[in-house]
Amino acid sequence: MPKIANDVSALPDRRVMTTRREFVGGATALAASPNAMPACDGAATDPIIALIGEEKRWRLLAVAARARAETLLFALPKDERPEELDDHPIMAEALSLETRADEVYDHIIETPASTLAGIFAKLEWGEGDPEITKAVIADLRR
């Protein structure tokens, strides 16, 4: 009986011809090999990822509170506006949220990433900040 070949794309500009029997045989061999895929008890979580999410949440709340407060302050007549916006009592909520976000930021820098996903998340979140980059290098050395 002749082989019926299926056209399987390995790369966009390269075609690989294979039969269903060869494909299933390779997959069976891969699944049967104990070292092919390491056993896992579940997804490895890194505390950094949760901390980054928490920092983003506090930071977004702080930005929204500041925008609301500034809108109200700029609606005041010019002679009634405070010289420093941050000194006005209406800014207290925004400042407290910013302080909380800064505390979580510091905690992210101090907490070592325990997985490669945590390292990448920290680097992406830091966006080239030298302080974050130094923290990630320290995490890699542990």
Side-chain angles (χ1 to χ4, degrees), residues 44-48 111-119 122 139:
T45 57
D46 196 313
I48 291 298
T111 303
S114 58
T115 64
L116 199 52
I119 298 270
K122 207 174 196 181
D139 293 349

Side-chain angles (χ1 to χ4, degrees), residues 4 14 21-22 33 35 64 91 108 137:
I4 299 175
R14 182 174 162 225
R21 181 176 292 148
E22 290 168 339
S33 175
N35 294 329
M91 292 296 277
I108 291 169
I137 291 170

